[in-house]
Each structure stands twice: as C-alpha cells, then as structure tokens.
Amino acid sequence: MAKIDENIVSVKNLAIGYNSKTVAKGIDFNLHSGMLCGIVGINGIGKSTLLRTLGGFQPKLSGDILLNNQNLKEFTSSDLSKELSIVLTEQPASKNLTVQELIALGRQPYTNWLGTLTKYDKEQVQASLKAFLLEDLKHRKCHELSDGQLQRVLVARAMAQDTSIILLDEPTTHLDLYHKVQILKMLQELAHNKQRTILFTTHEIELAIQLCDRILILDGKDHPFGDPCTLIEQQHFDRLFPSEMVKFDAKTGTYKVSK
Amino acid sequence: MQLARTYRISFLLLLIALLCSWLLNVSSGSVSIPFADVLSILFGKLPKITSWEYIIWDYRVPKAFTSILVGAGLSLSGLLMQTLFRNPLAGPFVLGISSGASLGAALLLMGTSLLTGYTSFAFLSNVSLAIAASIGSFLVLFVVMLVAQRVKDTMALLIIGLMFGSITSAIVSVLAYFSSAEDLQRFIFWSFGSVGNLSTDQLLLLGSIVVVGVLLSVRSIKSLNAFLLGENYAQSLGISLKKSRLIIIIATGLLAGGITAFAGPIAFVGLAVPHLTRQIFDTMEHKVLIPAVMLYGAILMLLCDTLAQLPNSASVLPINAITSLVGAPVVIWILVRKRKMIF
C-alpha cells in the first residue's frame, strides 16, 4: 500500500466525452490513499462518463489520469485489474450465481488460467463476505436477493479484487434510506480501515456531505473539489440546482424545497 | 467453493449412464443381435454369425462414437453461446449458426452444379461438405457478433438470428427450385441429420474438430466465468474482451459448424442440454458445466439415436426429428415448471 499522503488518483485538466462531443472539461482533483470521494452533479453532466473514463472503459479526450503515479494508458488490462475495481449500475448478467461464486470472481486477476482459488484467495473472499455482512447469504443465488443485498454483494466483489482504487457508479440507486446509509457507511469503513481510495457517483448529496472525505461537484464550469465543509462555505452546493426550486441550507447541510 | 466434491457423485452417475446408453445404442439396430453376443463381440471374441462382427465394429460402434461427439459438441456449443450472449435462448440453431451451415452445404451440394453446369459428384467429398458448412456457420456467427456489438439488446440479436434463418432457408429454396433431383435429394438427406455412415477417416476428422473445440472452450473457462458478470465487469477483471470473444466464437463455429457438416443440422440439443444440465448441476462454474454438459449431451444423443433406429426394424427415422420431439417438450416443461429460464 502507498503512503497515506501520496496521490493514488491524480486527475489533471481532464476533458471527457465521446469522439466529437465534449461532456466536461477542466476536471482537476487528487485523492490520497484511504479517501472516500463522492462525485455529484445534475443528470447528464458527465458523472458516469467520468467514472467510465477513469475505469479505462472509454478514452479521455485530453488531460492526464494518473493512478498510483502511473499513466492510465500505460496499464495493461491485467495490470489495471489489480489496481482498480468497479461496481456498475448494470446488473450482473447471470443472477444464477451464488453470492460466494460472484464474490470469488473478484479474485480472477490473481488466479491461474483455470481460475483455481488458492487458500489466500478463499480467505479474501471470506473477509469480503464478513465485511459486508453476507456470511449467512453466501449460498444464496443472486436472483433471490433484495436490491440492497445485491448491491452489498457487488461491492464485496470489488473489495475481494483487492485493488487500491474502487470506482462505483451510483451505488445507492433503488435503495431505501437505511440501505443507502448502510452501503455508504460500509464504503467509508472500507476506505478508512483498509486504505482503499473509493470514488462513487451519487445523487445523495446530503449523505455524501456527511460521509465523504472529498466531494467533486461536476457543474459544467469549474468542477469544484474539496472536503465537504469547505465546499459548503464556498457556497458551491447553493449553485448546483436552480434556486427557485430547491435551496441549500448551509447550517444543516440539506436541501429545502423553495416556497 | 467446494464444488468438485459435491458433484463427484453426479459425475460418476453420468459416466455410468453414458456407458449404459452406449451399450444400449450398440446393441440395438435393424439386425437383432442378442446382448450377450454384443458384449462378447465387443470383448474381441468370435461371434456365432460372422456378419454380426461387421455390423458391430464397422457400423454400430462408429455410429455410437459419432453420437457421442455430436451430442457432446453441440451441447458445449450451446453452453458457450448462452454464456457469450448471456441469454438462455441462445444456441447454435436460434442464432442462425446452423442455418449458416445449411447454406454452406446447400451452396456446395446444389449451387456448384448450378453455377458450373457440372454435377459436382466428382470432386465432392464429405470433407469439402464439412468445410463448406463450417465456412457458412462461421460467416453467420461473425455477422451475428458484429451485430451484437452494435445492438446491446439481446432480444434484437435473437430476432436477427431468426431472420438469418429465414434468409438462408429462402436461398436454399431458390437453390432447390433450380437443382436437379439428385442434388436436391442429397441435400434433403443431409438436412435430416444422421450420425451413421461416417467412415473411420471422417470420424477421426470430426473427432479432431470436436477436440480442438473442446480445448479452446477449456482454455476459455476463466473468461466464460467472467462473462457471467457482463462484458464490462469481465474487462475490469483483466479479461481481454476481443481475444476471449474470438476464441469462444471459433470454438463454437468449429463445434457447431463441423458437427452440422458431418451429421446435418441437429436441432435442440445445443439449446436444451445446458438447461437440462443445470437442473442437476446447480452451478454456473464452467469448470463443472463444460464436462457435465458434454456428458449429458452425449447420453441424450445416444438415446435419441437408439430411438431413431426403431429397434429390430429396418427403418431409421431422421435423427433431427427425434431430437426435436424430445427436446422441445423438455424445454417447455422446464419453462412451465420454473416459470422462467434462469440464466
């Protein structure tokens, strides 16, 4: 693991988008080891595009992405799979996998050509099951799980992949408040206790303010980045939505409907 | 994680079932040979009637081995397709791969004489038939893959596969309309499907094709398992999508194309057997599923061929009809019982 103050994810003047269409540009931020970072912004501003670009699923338009001080481009897909794991909004293609089987697939970057699990791999799978309170469910099929349980399984799989960076695309969608908080708190624990650098996109700005170490606001202009309190002081959350609809209350860190 | 242990007994039972159905297959046929004599011939003893030895060794044993190759190979190709397309309805037939093979065979059997004006008998061996059918199935498979990369919706993909089926059968009809009766008859007989009539050389060739297909599939076990999560997840696990997709497609094309070439388009085995297998082997781990599906397919094919022989009668039913008669109700039964095909 890298030293605490070292940059694990470093993004400089990044522009993202598709061939001809720039979705967002001028994105700058640095994340240290063990940081939980939320990416917020209105629909269509480029949160998922940013995550896809960071994960190497689509090429950046310009700028630099450094993971552990190495340029993202220089990673082979098998090297990248040991540095970065993902949790997507898409459901796993086969829900006939058991919880344990699905999490064990997270060990693939380390297993031999047949995917045989070593004793160490099995320990890692067990640790992930335990960390996400899935031990009782480990023999269940994924189609038998609730949305909240399935999301925990997917995050546990990412944990089992044992990477310094974890990217999650809207991990809290479709969940009730309790399960939203549960999954975010588990992510926070994972970041702080296991020194993982975790980035996730979310619409739960109020929860992100309470739980994240850093927040990146995609606003289409200068993309403010910092710790939640500073961002509140600088009134960045106030400008996120049109004020005739919702107003940000800096004291409580929540949004109120404008009357 | 302790998969191997739990399925050891099931595998043992399947192996015994395979042996039994092989014996049943070898001991039944148009000429009635007592079971004890079949056994003694198989163990190399001289039979009471010398012609029995020829019947067993030169006809029934090769036919039984062809059944095993055909059943195992088609089932495996169905499993590969279902995982690659992450769709329970995928199979060599539904995706148009078998239609592609039919088109290849039809173009060779009926097209060459039409285009060149000569009857193609002289240079037409079963090997060139196999090559033509394989090329046909590969072509369709590649087109389906190209479409698959554009169309994310797998339902659209299946419909496209069905459309390919109609296009090829239309072309085949046109060819049939202009062909001579002999050429047409050859094609029709090929399309009935048959596991008999393969010479030792052909059997060896088919065997090598299936072995290569199986080896490629075994090499793909890890990526197949990763594909269960979806392509994006597979990529994030370090799987090279293009390479592993290509290997799986080549394996499927070899298996489905090669088998269709030698044994004709045999329906339903590829689609139904993986589902039947999952009734017993309740796992998605391809390390378990690949051998299980192959054993299952081999057994089913041996039994279907035994049925097609109509014991003690001279008539042989088209094997294609039998597999459909057995396969279709089974798929319906699974759907009705389970409400949905869980993949």
Side-chain angles (χ1 to χ4, degrees), chain B residues 52-255:
Chain B
W52 286 359
E53 195 179 355
Y54 294 112
I55 293 173
I56 298 284
W57 281 110
D58 291 352
Y59 182 69
R60 289 190 189 173
V61 169
K63 186 168 67 73
F65 278 116
T66 312
S67 299
I68 290 178
L69 287 174
V70 167
L74 281 180
S75 311
L76 179 56
S77 76
L79 177 71
L80 296 180
M81 287 288 91
Q82 288 175 8
T83 302
L84 184 64
F85 288 104
R86 291 168 294 282
N87 193 308
L89 282 176
F93 246 79
V94 182
L95 288 170
I97 299 159
S98 303
S99 331
S102 297
L103 183 63
L107 280 174
L108 187 74
L109 288 177
M110 305 190 290
T112 38
S113 57
L114 275 184
L115 294 175
T116 57
Y118 298 106
T119 310
S120 41
F121 259 87
F123 61 94
L124 238 184
S125 66
N126 276 22
V127 175
S128 53
L129 184 60
I131 292 170
S134 301
I135 290 173
S137 60
F138 265 113
L139 274 180
V140 173
L141 202 55
F142 270 110
V143 176
V144 170
M145 270 321 282
L146 281 181
V147 177
Q149 278 171 338
R150 271 166 184 257
V151 187
K152 285 283 168 204
D153 187 3
T154 39
M155 275 313 274
L157 198 63
L158 289 183
I159 294 170
I160 289 166
L162 286 175
M163 290 304 111
F164 269 113
S166 3
I167 293 172
T168 45
S169 57
I171 298 176
V172 169
S173 313
V174 172
L175 284 173
Y177 184 78
F178 290 107
S179 323
S180 68
E182 289 141 46
D183 285 343
L184 183 59
Q185 198 184 27
R186 274 161 61 85
F187 177 74
I188 299 265
F189 272 112
W190 175 81
S191 71
F192 279 156
S194 162
V195 286
N197 307 326
L198 258 71
S199 69
T200 319
D201 287 348
Q202 291 167 346
L203 186 58
L204 281 177
L205 182 61
L206 177 62
S208 333
I209 292 175
V210 171
V211 166
V212 173
V214 172
L215 287 179
L216 288 175
S217 316
V218 169
R219 195 198 168 284
S220 306
I221 284 179
K222 196 170 168 178
S223 50
L224 284 166
N225 283 334
F227 276 130
L228 293 173
L229 291 176
E231 291 192 349
N232 284 332
Y233 277 116
Q235 191 185 341
S236 85
L237 285 167
I239 300 289
S240 157
L241 288 186
K242 274 189 189 155
K243 197 174 131 200
S244 22
R245 250 200 230 129
L246 190 70
I247 293 176
I248 295 171
I249 285 183
I250 291 176
T252 314
L254 281 175
L255 289 168

Side-chain angles (χ1 to χ4, degrees), chain A residues 235-251:
Chain A
Q235 299 185 319
H236 285 297
F237 291 107
D238 306 46
R239 292 191 284 266
L240 199 54
F241 303 112
S243 59
E244 62 266 26
M245 293 299 275
V246 282
K247 276 202 182 107
F248 187 74
D249 180 14
K251 267 182 234 144

Side-chain angles (χ1 to χ4, degrees), chain B residues 265-288:
Chain B
I266 290 174
F268 261 103
V269 177
L271 171 65
V273 170
H275 291 293
L276 286 173
T277 310
R278 290 195 196 102
Q279 303 290 311
I280 292 187
F281 294 85
D282 192 14
T283 177
M284 295 303 283
E285 168 64 69
H286 285 81
K287 250 182 284 178
V288 179

